[in-house]
Amino acid sequence: MKTTFLKIKESRWTSRLLSPIILLLIIIAFSIATDGRFSSSRNITMIIQQALTVATVATGAVFIFSTGNVNISMGAATALVATIAAKIYLKTSSVPIMAVSAIIIGAMVLALTALLSTWLNVRVLYVTVVMMTLLASIQKSILGSETITLPYKMTSALKNAEVPLMIFIGFFIFCTILFHFTGLGRKLRYLGINELCAELTGFKKSRYLLLGFIIAGIGVGAGAVITIIRNGSITADTCATLNMDCMLAIVLGGMSCFGGSRSHTFSAVVGAVMVTVLNNGLLMLGVSSTLVQAIRGIVFIILVCASQARPKGLPSRKVK
């Protein structure tokens, strides 16, 4: 009996199906608690729209988290890229130029993070702590006390044409193919399973880490474009909670904090919807936004602690 339970627990399908089942149960619970208002078509549509930015950025972040590294500057990077891209649009009045600029700048910002970690031989987490502060400071210096407002005609037209949804779907398909059907994804997951073994078998960690960060940077750029279209304006508070949302989405989606073989792009999408559902449902029940943030933090800590145990039989990542 115990052996059967352990096999079910360790099964890859258990981690993939558990999160969608929990998501469905949460939706049912909120629907009952709000007398059906939560499950109305209008509210479900709003949840999907709200989840697009988190899902896009978190899907790209899977390429980083799968290696066993954590990037806590995703929100600050997205806010900065959105600010610069919005200013570019106001100068050029061209949506394609704005979108391409956002993707290039996002990839460059994230690539710089990976290069600094490699060149300085410092863990990614520590570099992203510095980058988070630096990027937020740059964004505030660009904005000052200003609010960048985009033309309503442009943003409403793109929103009505479901451009944000198309951006997400395109990026998700791109990431899924790369992550699950190419050698790049396998090698990134191998780094998460055991970094030392990966290097001993000939994987150049710095190269694959850089590639992972560049793809995550493309996600940051795509997320910035979605943010511009959805919000129609950029302020100092833009993407303020995106960083926590991304990390929470990845963990809620069923990925391990250590990355590895259980990493999946699907986890980011399920987790992003779950985060948005929790935010929306708690607010509909009258819970204050401050308390919602506290609950999210507690959930994140519990999930991180629950996934601390490494799979048995794997060599340690530390060299003694």
Side-chain angles (χ1 to χ4, degrees):
M1 184 70 179
K2 185 178 179 182
T3 305
T4 304
F5 176 75
L6 287 174
K7 284 182 179 179
I8 295 173
K9 182 182 175 183
E10 294 298 326
S11 171
R12 187 174 299 179
W13 287 105
T14 300
S15 61
R16 289 183 184 178
L17 294 176
L18 184 60
S19 294
I21 291 171
I22 293 173
L23 173 59
L24 181 61
L25 292 175
I26 292 173
I27 291 174
I28 293 172
F30 278 136
S31 297
I32 295 171
T34 59
D35 297 324
R37 288 183 295 119
F38 181 84
S39 57
S40 65
S41 59
R42 181 174 178 273
N43 193 55
I44 294 298
T45 301
M46 185 172 66
I47 287 172
I48 293 172
Q49 291 174 347
Q50 291 174 344
L52 286 178
T53 302
V54 179
T56 303
V57 178
T59 299
V62 167
F63 284 78
I64 298 174
F65 279 71
S66 65
T67 65
N69 290 294
V70 177
N71 184 352
I72 64 171
S73 66
M74 301 295 284
T78 306
L80 175 60
V81 172
T83 301
I84 297 172
K87 281 190 168 289
I88 288 173
Y89 177 82
L90 294 178
K91 291 287 185 181
T92 63
S93 298
S94 171
V95 173
I97 292 176
M98 175 189 74
V100 172
S101 300
I103 290 171
I104 292 173
I105 295 168
M108 289 173 62
V109 169
L110 270 290
L112 177 61
T113 304
L115 290 172
L116 286 173
S117 175
T118 303
W119 290 341
L120 300 176
N121 196 27
V122 177
R123 288 188 65 86
V124 168
L125 176 62
Y126 303 146
V127 175
T128 59
V129 170
V130 176
M131 289 297 291
M132 178 178 65
T133 306
L134 178 62
L135 296 175
S137 299
I138 294 173
Q139 191 229 5
K140 288 179 181 177
S141 66
I142 293 173
L143 272 178
S145 57
E146 176 189 5
T147 295
I148 301 176
T149 303
L150 285 301
Y152 176 76
K153 185 177 180 181
M154 181 273 287
T155 56
S156 61
L158 295 176
K159 202 182 299 182
N160 292 335
E162 301 294 349
V163 171
L165 181 60
M166 288 189 285
I167 291 173
F168 162 69
I169 291 174
F171 183 66
F172 178 75
I173 293 172
F174 168 74
C175 287
T176 300
I177 292 171
L178 268 184
F179 195 74
H180 296 288
F181 301 100
T182 69
L184 173 62
R186 287 191 294 271
K187 288 169 183 175
L188 290 173
R189 294 195 296 275
Y190 195 7
L191 281 171
I193 293 172
N194 191 280
E195 187 178 293
L196 177 60
C197 286
E199 290 185 337
L200 290 174
T201 53
F203 294 176
K204 196 169 182 181
K205 174 190 169 184
S206 58
R207 177 188 301 168
Y208 292 104
L209 195 62
L210 177 60
L211 289 172
F213 268 81
I214 289 173
I215 295 167
I218 295 173
V220 164
V225 175
I226 294 174
T227 298
I228 291 170
I229 295 171
R230 283 200 64 251
N231 296 354
S233 62
I234 304 296
T235 68
D237 294 326
T238 296
C239 301
T241 63
L242 182 59
N243 190 60
M244 173 59 80
D245 287 342
C246 286
M247 292 194 295
L248 192 56
I250 288 173
V251 177
L252 278 174
M255 269 186 63
S256 168
C257 295
F258 294 108
S261 59
R262 291 190 178 182
S263 302
H264 201 288
T265 53
F266 183 67
S267 299
V269 180
V270 174
V273 175
M274 200 179 296
V275 168
T276 310
V277 163
L278 285 171
N279 290 345
N280 186 282
L282 290 172
L283 290 173
M284 286 186 74
L285 290 175
V287 179
S288 69
S289 57
T290 303
L291 186 55
V292 169
Q293 295 301 320
I295 292 171
R296 282 149 43 93
I298 292 170
V299 170
F300 180 71
I301 291 171
I302 292 172
L303 290 171
V304 169
C305 291
S307 64
Q308 284 299 303
R310 286 184 175 278
K312 292 181 180 180
L314 289 175
S316 171
R317 293 172 65 189
K318 296 181 180 179
V319 182
K320 296 183 179 180

